[in-house]
Amino acid sequence: MDQTSNTIRTVHITVTNGYDLKGFKGDTPVTFVRAEFNQAFLGDSSKILVSPEGTAKYNFTSNIDLSPDGGITLDDLAHKPLFLTVTEVLPKEKKQKDEKTLTLGQAVVDLLPLLEGEESFETTVPLHPVQGSPLETPLPGSKQCSLDVKVFVAEPLLTPAQVSASNLLKVTLEAAYSVPESFMPVGPQQNYMVGLQVPSVGEKDYIMIFKNGNLKLGGEKEPVPRPKKWPIANILAPGANNIPDAFIVGGPYEEEEGELNHPEDREFRNQAECTKKRIVWDLESRCFLHPTAVSSLQKRIADCRLWPVEITRVPMIVMPKAKPGKLEKTEDENQLSFHGVAYVNMVPLLYPGVKRIRGAFHVYPYLDGTVFEKTKCLFSLFRDTGHHLIHNNKAGGLNSPLSKPLSKNLKEERLGKEKDIEGRPRLGELQAPSIKSQSSDTPLESEAPLSHNLEGQQYIEAGTYIVLEIQLDKALVPKRMPEELARRVKEMIPPRPPLTRRTGGAQKAVSDYHTQIKGISRAILTEYHRMFGKQGTKLESDIDNETMEEQKCQLNYELNCSGKYFAFKEQLKAIPDDVPSSTSTIQTSSNQLRLFAFEAEVNENFEMAAVYYEERLVREPQNLENWLDYGAFCLLTEDNIKAQECFRKALSLNESHIHSLLLCGVLAVLLENYEQAEIFFEDATCLEPTNVIAWTLLGLFYEIQNNDIRMEMAFHEAFKQLQARTLQTKLKSSATIENNEEGVKVEPSFGPWGVTQESSTAIKSEGLSGIRPRSSHLLSPRLTMDLHSQPQGPNTALSSLDEFLEESPKAQSESQEPIITVQPRESSLAQKSSNVLLKELTTKKETSKCQDSSAFFSPTHYDTPQPPVTIFMETIRFLMKVNAVQFVHRVLAHELLCPQGGPSCEYYLVLAQTHLLRKDFAKTEEYLQQAAQMDYLNPNVWGVKGHLYFLSGNHAEAKECYERTISFVVDASEMHFIFLRLGHIYLEEKEYENAKRTYMQACKRSPSCLTWLGLGIACYRLEELTEAEDALSEANALNNCNAEVWAYLALVCLKVGRQLEAEQAYKYTIKLKLKDQALLEEIHSVQEMVGFGNPSF
C-alpha cells in the first residue's frame, strides 16, 4: 500500500535478554541471535555465552528501513512478522576450519502496534524450539525459553489523524468442507490455493493468496479454539507458525453471515465438518488500509456487493534447471484444475458498527459470465493476473501487490469474453446488461455452457463450501453508542417530574373523610333538634314507627326546601371516594374504561371514547399504558399531533419502554421528523437487540430514506432474531414462549394493547351474578357512578369467574345487599330476579365452562395468533394494534415479496381490515373472498365479513356470517363486537330469545354497559320484567349516562307500577337527550296507558 510519508524511517529492534536457554552440548552454550524480516537478513548479534541459569544478555539491535519507493512498506509491517532465530555455536573440533552451528529455536515478533500509533513497545516472546532442539525438553522447574524485545521508532509512523482514518483488514481462511471425492491424499502432491482481491489506492488491487491447504480425510471435527497461522514461507520452528493471541473460535451456525446458516443446514454442516473430506488452511492474512484505501473499500462494497473468492489446485512440480524460454513454456502449458469461486456478500461491513463477518459460502464453478454478472470482476486471479504465482510452489502463503496493473488490451480481451444474450439476463443477485460487439449491434455468442467446467461442477455435486472470516480493526460505518442515543432521547423528551408527595397520605384522607361525615351528621342532628326539640331524641324508644316516619319526611322536606340537602351532598362529593382503593382496584377500573372506550371507537362515537380515555388519564396519569392507548386512539382519528404528545408523555414516564420508543419513531416519520425517528428506532434496537419489530421498523425507516444497505442490515437482523426465537420455541413448550418474547400480551384485539376480558362487576360485585339491586338506578348519574365504582383487579376478576362457574346456588345467593333501598318491601323481588338471571347464565354449566370460559382464559388459535412466519407480519400486527394504518400498506408490500411470506389468509385479512376502516366496502369484500379461499374455516374471516355487511346495511348477510363465526370451535379475535352486533340484529328482527342468549354470552365474557343493555332490552321484550330490571340496573351501574338505559328503566318501572322511580328514570332520559325517537314515543304511549310517569302531567 502507499506510504503516508515520502521520507525513509527506521524501526529499531533490540533483543536484550534470553531466558531458560540450553544447548546441544551443555547447559552453557555459546549462542547468537539472527534477525530477519520480509525474507531479508537484518543482522546477527555477538556470540554470547549462556549463564548456568540459562540467561543470555544479547543487547543486539537491528533496523528495518521503511521506504515508499519499492522498499519495505507499512503494509509489510502489518502482515509480516520479525523472525528472531537463536543459533548455538558448537566448539571447534580438531582440524575443523569453520565453526558448526545448530539452530535452537525461533521467535516471532508482531510489529502491528507500530501501526496503531505507538512509538515503542516491549514484549517477551516465546522461543519456539525447532525439531530435535534441546529446548523441546525444558529444564525441571524452568519456564518456556523466551526473549525480551524492545521495538521503537524516532517518531510515530502514523499521526493520530492517520491512525483514526486508516484501517486494518484481516482475512482468515479456515477450511473448505465437503470437497469433491476426486481429491485424494495419495498420488501427486497438490497445492490447494484460495485468492481474493482487496481494493487499494489507484488502479491496483491488493491480492491475497492462501496456499498449501492441507487435505484431510473425515473422521473428526476441527478443534476449537485453534490458533491462526502466519501465511509466511520457510518458518523453521513449528510453533512459530502460530500468530500470538489469535484463535479460530467458531460459533453457532445461526449467528454466521454466510449462506449455510439456516436451521435446515445444520445437519448437512455437522456431517460435512465431521465425516467428509476437507482442506484446512487456518491462515490469517492482513492488509493495511490507507485512508484513501478505506474509501475505495467502501465504494467497492457499495458498487459490488458480492466479491469473488477463487479456489483452485495445481500440482506440486519440481521444475528442473532449464533455459528461461523452456521454463516459460512449461508454465503456459499447465492448466488450472478444479477452478471454483465463492461469492462473499461484503455488504454487512457497511452496517453501522459491524467489524467482522464470518460464514460458510458455497463454491461454484468459475464461469466468466456468471462471475462478471455477480461481481463485475473482469479477470481471474489465478488464470489472468496471477498465473505466474500459481507455479511458485513455495510453502506457505503469498501477500503482495501486483507488480503491474492490468493492461488495457487484457481488459478489452476480457470484455470480449463476457457476453450474454440481449434481453435475457442471467439470474443472480446483481444483474449486468449484455455486452455487444463494438462494431455491430448484434450480441456476440453467449458464454460456453456449464459442461465446459466439468471439474468445477464437482464442487456443486459435492456441496463444497469454504469458511472464512473477514475482520476490520474499526467499523467502516460508526455506530451511535447507547449512551449517546439515550442522551439524545432525553434531550427530546425530558423525564416527567415525580408527583409531589402528599404529607398526610391515605391515612389522613380517611381521617378527613370521617371528620366530614361527623360534621354533616352534627348539622343534620342540629336541624332535627330545631324542628322537634332535643326531648324527641331522648324519647326515641317511646316513639312509634309511624311518628318516626312522619318526622323523617318532614326533615327531608325541610332540608330540600332550604337547600341544605344539596349543600351536604356537594360536601360529600368533594371527598375523593377512591382514597382507600388499592392499586389493583384502580387497574380493573382502568380496564373497564378501556373496554368502554373501544366500544365507542367501534361504534364511531369518538367523542365518548375520548371521554373514557381522558378519564383513565385523570385517574392514573403515571400509567404509561393509558397514554399509549389514548395515542393509538388519536392515530385512529388522524390527530397525529396529539398522538405524538401522548406517546412522548408515555416515553417520559419510562425512557426504556420499547413500544413507547417505537411509537414515537412512527409518529416522527409521519410528521417527517426523520432525524428524530432514526434516534428513536436506533435506541429501541440498542435497548432490546432481540426485538423483531424494532429492527423491522428501523428497516422501513431506512427504506423511506432510500438507504438500501442499512435497510438490508435491519431486515437481516430482524430475520435473524425471529429465526433464533423460532428455534427457541421449538426447544421449549410453545405455551410458555408464545406471545411473551416481545413483552406484549396478545389477546383478543380490543385495542392497541389487547385489553384483558375482565369480568367487571358482572361477575362478583353485590352477588355473584353481578346484578345490582333495583333502586340503585334512582340515584343521580354522577353520584351513582361514584358510589358504585367498586372495581377489582384482573386476578380478582378471574377468580370471580371461577366462583361464578363453580360455586353452588346456595353460595351464589349469600352476599346480596342493596346499597340504597327506596322500597324495602320489594327487596325479595330483587333477590328473586338476581337468582333467576344467574340461573340462566349458569345453565349447562359444564359445557359453558369448557367452551365460553375456556376461550376467555386460554385463547385458542385465533384468539392468540401463532408466531408469524415473517418479520413483516409480526410488524403488521403491531401496527394494526396501534392504528398506524399509514405504515401497514408499506409493510404489506414487503410481506408480499418476502420469500417466507407472500399472499396468505392473514395478508388478505389485514388488507380487508384497512379498507374497511376507509369504508371501501367493494375492496374489503374482494380481499375477504381471497382470504376465505385460502382458509375457509378461519373465524376471523367470517367475523370481519359480518362487520362488512353490518356496516354496509346488509344485516341479513351479517347475521349469517356472525352465526357462522360463533359456531366455530375456536373463537375469532373480536367476539365481543360479534356478540353485540348479532344481538342487535336479533332485536331488530324481533328474535328476542336469540338476542337474550347472545347478550348473555357477551355479559359472561366481557360485560359492559352495552351488553347488559342488550340483555335488558331482550328480557323486556320477552315480558321478563324482573330480569330486565336487573340487567338494566347493572348497565346503569357501569354507565349511568346512557340515555337508552334510563329509557328502558322507565318502561320497566311503568310496567310494574312504580310511579316515583318511573318519573325519575324518565327525567334522566330527557336530561341525557335520548336520540331514539321511536323509543321516546313508546315511553309516552305507556305513560298515557298507565296514567303516570311523566312529571309534566
Side-chain angles (χ1 to χ4, degrees):
M1 294 286 175
D2 288 358
Q3 287 283 70
T4 59
S5 174
N6 293 326
T7 60
I8 296 178
R9 285 173 291 182
T10 302
V11 179
H12 307 280
I13 303 101
T14 300
V15 181
T16 56
N17 300 310
Y19 301 101
D20 300 306
L21 301 176
K22 65 178 181 177
F24 286 91
K25 296 298 184 178
D27 295 336
T28 58
V30 176
T31 61
F32 68 90
V33 177
R34 172 167 294 176
E36 297 173 286
F37 182 79
N38 196 23
Q39 298 182 355
F41 170 73
L42 300 181
D44 290 342
S45 71
S46 302
K47 298 173 183 177
I48 304 298
L49 178 66
V50 178
S51 69
E53 293 80 16
T55 302
K57 296 186 178 298
Y58 294 108
N59 293 320
F60 162 62
T61 300
S62 58
N63 301 320
I64 301 175
D65 293 328
L66 302 180
S67 173
D69 302 325
I72 297 175
T73 65
L74 293 181
D75 186 65
D76 292 322
L77 296 182
H79 75 269
K80 295 177 181 178
L82 171 74
F83 290 100
L84 300 174
T85 306
V86 177
T87 304
E88 179 183 1
V89 180
L90 300 178
K92 286 185 179 181
E93 298 179 358
K94 294 180 180 181
K95 300 181 181 180
Q96 180 178 338
K97 295 182 179 180
D98 298 326
E99 292 179 338
K100 289 186 178 181
T101 59
L102 292 175
T103 302
L104 294 176
Q106 197 171 44
V108 180
V109 180
D110 192 351
L111 302 177
L112 191 59
L114 295 178
L115 299 181
E116 298 172 351
E118 296 187 18
E119 295 184 42
S120 63
F121 65 92
E122 299 182 10
T123 180
T124 300
V125 294
L127 183 65
H128 302 282
V130 299
Q131 291 185 354
S133 169
L135 300 181
E136 289 182 327
T137 56
L139 294 173
S142 63
K143 301 178 182 178
Q144 182 181 5
C145 47
S146 58
L147 301 176
D148 283 343
V149 182
K150 295 180 180 179
V151 180
F152 62 94
V153 291
E155 60 181 14
L157 300 181
L158 297 173
T159 65
Q162 290 172 332
V163 172
S164 176
S166 62
N167 214 325
L168 182 71
L169 176 67
K170 300 178 183 178
V171 179
T172 302
L173 177 64
E174 298 181 17
Y177 294 99
S178 189
V179 297
E181 289 296 327
S182 56
F183 286 14
M184 302 297 293
V186 295
Q189 286 187 316
Q190 302 287 338
N191 187 353
Y192 298 97
M193 308 198 317
V194 171
L196 73 155
Q197 307 168 66
V198 178
S200 178
V201 181
E203 295 185 1
K204 295 188 300 181
D205 274 356
Y206 185 85
I207 293 179
M208 289 184 175
I209 303 291
F210 300 89
K211 303 177 66 177
N212 295 326
N214 182 19
L215 177 63
K216 293 184 177 181
L217 298 177
E220 62 180 10
K221 203 166 186 176
E222 295 298 315
V224 287
R226 60 184 186 274
K228 297 180 181 180
K229 300 177 181 178
W230 294 103
I232 303 297
N234 300 328
I235 297 179
L236 300 178
N241 283 304
N242 301 333
I243 301 176
D245 302 322
F247 299 92
I248 296 172
V249 296
Y253 302 145
E254 293 78 10
E255 296 181 4
E256 296 178 353
E257 299 290 341
E259 300 169 344
L260 292 162
N261 55 358
H262 299 93
E264 56 269 22
D265 302 318
R266 174 180 291 273
E267 182 178 356
F268 168 71
R269 289 194 60 176
N270 283 332
Q271 184 180 10
E273 295 175 19
C274 292
T275 62
K276 294 188 177 182
K277 295 179 184 177
R278 80 286 306 266
I279 303 170
V280 179
W281 286 272
D282 291 344
L283 299 177
E284 177 185 277
S285 183
R286 300 169 179 172
C287 175
F288 176 74
L289 299 176
H290 185 272
T292 308
V294 173
S295 301
S296 299
L297 178 66
Q298 288 181 277
K299 186 176 185 302
R300 178 72 64 86
I301 295 176
D303 294 341
C304 309
R305 298 188 168 201
L306 299 180
W307 284 20
V309 177
E310 297 182 43
I311 181 171
T312 190
R313 78 173 191 181
V314 294
M316 297 285 287
I317 302 175
V318 179
M319 302 301 297
K321 294 183 179 180
K323 296 181 180 180
K326 186 174 182 181
L327 182 62
E328 181 92 15
K329 182 177 180 181
T330 304
E331 289 183 353
D332 289 340
E333 290 176 353
N334 285 335
Q335 299 294 322
L336 295 176
S337 63
F338 292 94
H339 192 190
V341 61
Y343 300 103
V344 179
N345 183 11
M346 300 287 285
V347 171
L349 291 179
L350 295 184
Y351 297 165
V354 173
K355 298 187 293 185
R356 172 182 177 268
I357 57 176
R358 178 184 179 273
F361 302 89
H362 284 294
V363 178
Y364 300 94
Y366 190 98
L367 299 172
D368 292 331
T370 305
V371 172
F372 176 75
E373 180 182 332
K374 289 179 176 290
T375 68
K376 301 181 183 178
C377 186
L378 295 172
F379 51 81
S380 165
L381 277 178
F382 297 130
R383 185 188 61 206
D384 300 328
T385 65
H387 197 194
H388 65 286
L389 303 176
I390 296 175
H391 304 287
N392 182 9
N393 289 327
K394 296 179 181 179
L398 177 64
N399 293 67
S400 65
L402 293 177
S403 58
K404 58 182 179 179
L406 187 65
S407 68
K408 181 177 179 182
N409 292 336
L410 183 55
K411 289 183 180 179
E412 292 176 354
E413 180 183 349
R414 298 300 324 133
L415 284 170
K417 293 182 180 181
E418 310 301 332
K419 303 298 186 287
D420 199 355
I421 301 175
E422 186 179 20
R424 296 177 58 190
R426 291 186 179 88
L427 295 177
E429 294 188 32
L430 297 174
Q431 298 291 341
S434 61
I435 303 174
K436 300 181 180 180
S437 171
Q438 296 180 357
S439 61
S440 172
D441 292 337
T442 305
L444 298 179
E445 292 183 3
S446 61
E447 183 186 28
L450 186 65
S451 59
H452 284 202
N453 190 354
L454 295 179
E455 290 180 335
Q457 178 68 15
Q458 293 186 35
Y459 287 126
I460 297 180
E461 296 170 355
T464 304
Y465 62 91
I466 62 173
V467 178
L468 56 83
E469 175 189 79
I470 300 174
Q471 185 173 2
L472 290 164
D473 188 51
K474 295 183 286 288
L476 295 176
V477 181
K479 183 178 181 180
R480 291 189 181 99
M481 298 300 293
E483 296 80 9
E484 179 190 355
L485 291 170
R487 178 182 58 79
R488 295 284 300 275
V489 170
K490 188 174 294 186
E491 289 175 356
M492 291 185 290
I493 305 175
R496 292 170 63 90
L499 292 178
T500 305
R501 178 181 294 274
R502 296 180 179 179
T503 56
Q507 184 175 0
K508 184 176 183 301
V510 173
S511 176
D512 291 345
Y513 173 76
H514 291 162
T515 303
Q516 190 81 312
I517 294 295
K518 291 177 181 178
I520 295 175
S521 301
R522 292 193 195 97
I524 295 176
L525 184 58
T526 301
E527 189 67 22
Y528 179 84
H529 289 164
R530 186 185 65 80
M531 293 178 61
F532 307 108
K534 294 185 179 181
Q535 190 65 23
T537 56
K538 297 179 180 179
L539 301 176
E540 181 178 353
S541 58
D542 300 333
I543 301 176
D544 55 61
N545 291 335
E546 184 176 350
T547 303
M548 287 185 61
E549 191 67 28
E550 183 179 351
Q551 290 181 354
K552 180 180 177 182
C553 291
Q554 292 179 17
L555 178 61
N556 286 336
Y557 179 80
E558 180 64 26
L559 291 175
N560 279 284
C561 291
S562 63
K564 293 181 179 179
Y565 175 82
F566 179 78
F568 294 154
K569 184 178 72 173
E570 290 301 313
Q571 291 180 35
L572 286 175
K573 286 173 64 176
I575 301 174
D577 62 301
D578 57 348
V579 170
S581 302
S582 63
T583 303
S584 61
T585 300
I586 296 176
Q587 183 62 35
T588 303
S589 177
S590 179
N591 286 340
Q592 289 179 356
L593 291 173
R594 177 65 191 90
L595 175 60
F596 303 159
F598 194 56
E599 284 180 335
E601 278 184 31
V602 174
N603 294 328
E604 298 186 356
N605 188 352
F606 297 128
E607 183 179 355
M608 182 56 66
V611 170
Y612 286 125
Y613 283 122
E614 290 167 2
E615 177 68 19
R616 298 176 76 211
L617 294 177
V618 170
R619 293 189 181 187
E620 297 178 273
Q622 299 298 309
N623 188 331
L624 62 83
E625 296 295 336
N626 295 346
W627 290 103
L628 294 179
D629 289 340
Y630 192 27
F633 167 72
C634 295
L635 273 180
L636 179 66
T637 58
E638 299 183 352
D639 190 348
N640 291 344
I641 300 297
K642 186 176 288 187
Q644 182 186 49
E645 180 183 354
C646 292
F647 295 147
R648 293 197 172 198
K649 284 187 177 180
L651 186 58
S652 69
L653 295 172
N654 183 357
E655 295 175 354
S656 300
H657 192 255
I658 299 301
H659 287 150
S660 299
L661 279 168
L662 295 179
L663 291 173
C664 285
V666 168
L667 262 295
V669 171
L670 294 178
L671 297 175
E672 299 183 357
N673 296 327
Y674 297 117
E675 183 179 356
Q676 293 184 5
E678 185 175 16
I679 296 295
F680 287 129
F681 289 139
E682 280 195 29
D683 194 26
T685 57
C686 285
L687 287 173
E688 193 172 326
T690 61
N691 192 299
V692 175
I693 298 173
W695 285 109
T696 308
L697 287 176
L698 181 61
L700 293 170
F701 166 78
Y702 285 134
E703 181 189 34
I704 295 172
Q705 296 291 296
N706 295 320
N707 192 333
D708 294 339
I709 290 178
R710 293 201 181 186
M711 176 192 72
E712 179 182 326
M713 175 270 297
F715 288 159
H716 173 74
E717 188 65 28
F719 175 77
K720 187 168 71 174
Q721 297 302 331
L722 180 63
Q723 188 179 42
R725 193 178 67 191
T726 303
L727 181 62
Q728 184 182 11
T729 304
K730 291 180 180 178
L731 298 176
K732 297 181 180 180
S733 171
S734 60
T736 57
I737 297 299
E738 189 175 331
N739 299 325
N740 290 326
E741 194 71 22
E742 296 298 329
V744 176
K745 187 175 181 181
V746 182
E747 294 191 3
S749 57
F750 286 164
W753 310 109
V755 177
T756 305
Q757 294 179 342
E758 67 281 345
S759 58
S760 181
T761 54
I763 303 301
K764 185 175 181 181
S765 178
E766 304 307 326
L768 295 177
S769 67
I771 306 302
R772 296 286 180 185
R774 186 191 304 113
S775 307
S776 64
H777 62 274
L778 299 179
L779 301 176
S780 65
R782 177 56 58 188
L783 190 57
T784 306
M785 177 174 287
D786 291 340
L787 294 179
H788 284 303
S789 59
Q790 301 289 337
Q792 299 89 29
N795 295 332
T796 307
L798 297 180
S799 62
S800 300
L801 186 54
D802 288 334
E803 296 173 9
F804 171 75
L805 294 172
E806 298 292 344
E807 290 192 13
S808 64
K810 179 179 179 180
Q812 294 167 356
S813 60
E814 286 180 354
S815 59
Q816 301 187 18
E817 298 177 5
I819 296 177
I820 297 179
T821 305
V822 177
Q823 295 185 358
R825 63 182 181 277
E826 294 187 13
S827 60
S828 59
L829 180 60
Q831 177 74 29
K832 177 182 178 183
S833 65
S834 299
N835 290 334
V836 169
L837 186 56
L838 176 62
K839 182 178 180 181
E840 294 192 23
L841 284 174
T842 54
T843 303
K844 300 180 181 179
K845 183 171 63 176
E846 295 302 324
T847 58
S848 173
K849 180 181 176 182
C850 296
Q851 296 177 7
D852 295 336
S853 62
S854 64
F856 175 91
F857 290 113
S858 302
T860 53
H861 171 78
Y862 293 102
D863 277 324
T864 305
Q866 293 295 318
V869 295
T870 70
I871 60 175
F872 302 110
M873 188 53 68
E874 180 162 345
T875 306
I876 287 169
R877 293 175 180 175
F878 170 76
L879 294 174
M880 289 296 291
K881 293 285 186 183
V882 298
N883 300 321
V885 183
Q886 299 94 324
F887 262 73
V888 169
H889 284 280
R890 180 181 294 274
V891 192
L892 283 171
H894 283 280
E895 172 69 15
L896 187 62
L897 299 175
C898 181
Q900 296 83 14
S904 63
C905 177
E906 187 173 6
Y907 168 82
Y908 285 117
L909 191 57
V910 172
L911 273 176
Q913 290 172 324
T914 58
H915 284 84
L916 188 60
L917 287 174
R918 301 175 181 176
K919 301 297 177 65
D920 187 351
F921 298 139
K923 280 288 186 182
T924 302
E925 186 171 13
E926 176 186 342
Y927 292 130
L928 285 174
Q929 289 177 354
Q930 296 282 350
Q933 289 177 2
M934 291 193 162
D935 190 355
Y936 191 77
L937 299 179
N938 189 327
N940 281 322
V941 174
W942 291 100
V944 176
K945 206 169 186 180
H947 295 329
L948 165 66
Y949 290 131
F950 184 88
L951 295 176
S952 60
N954 189 347
H955 286 189
E957 291 289 343
K959 172 185 171 183
E960 181 180 345
C961 292
Y962 288 147
E963 288 177 338
R964 183 186 294 268
T965 304
I966 64 176
S967 68
F968 285 112
V969 175
V970 294
D971 285 340
S973 61
E974 293 185 352
M975 293 302 295
H976 182 79
F977 294 101
I978 291 172
F979 283 128
L980 281 180
R981 288 176 170 173
L982 180 59
H984 177 79
I985 295 173
Y986 283 145
L987 290 178
E988 280 186 340
E989 298 182 356
K990 299 183 179 181
E991 299 182 24
Y992 300 126
E993 286 289 350
N994 290 336
K996 177 182 176 182
R997 182 173 60 254
T998 301
Y999 280 119
M1000 285 171 67
Q1001 287 183 276
C1003 290
K1004 190 192 316 183
R1005 296 170 61 94
S1006 51
S1008 68
C1009 175
L1010 297 183
T1011 60
W1012 287 111
L1013 172 60
L1015 180 58
I1017 295 173
C1019 292
Y1020 173 78
R1021 298 303 179 189
L1022 290 171
E1023 298 295 332
E1024 299 174 358
L1025 299 183
T1026 303
E1027 291 82 353
E1029 184 179 7
D1030 289 332
L1032 294 170
S1033 298
E1034 181 63 22
N1036 183 263
L1038 293 175
N1039 181 6
N1040 54 15
C1041 293
N1042 189 308
E1044 195 171 359
V1045 174
W1046 287 106
Y1048 277 99
L1049 279 171
L1051 286 174
V1052 170
C1053 291
L1054 288 171
K1055 288 291 185 70
V1056 298
R1058 297 205 298 270
Q1059 179 178 352
L1060 180 61
E1061 297 177 22
E1063 290 179 355
Q1064 187 175 5
Y1066 176 71
K1067 179 179 67 173
Y1068 284 120
T1069 301
I1070 301 301
K1071 182 178 180 180
L1072 295 172
K1073 300 178 182 179
L1074 178 66
K1075 296 179 181 179
D1076 190 343
Q1077 292 300 319
L1079 179 58
L1080 190 59
E1081 291 176 2
E1082 182 181 358
I1083 294 175
H1084 291 158
S1085 175
V1086 176
Q1087 286 173 342
E1088 292 177 1
M1089 181 179 65
V1090 300
F1092 62 85
N1094 190 339
S1096 62
F1097 285 170

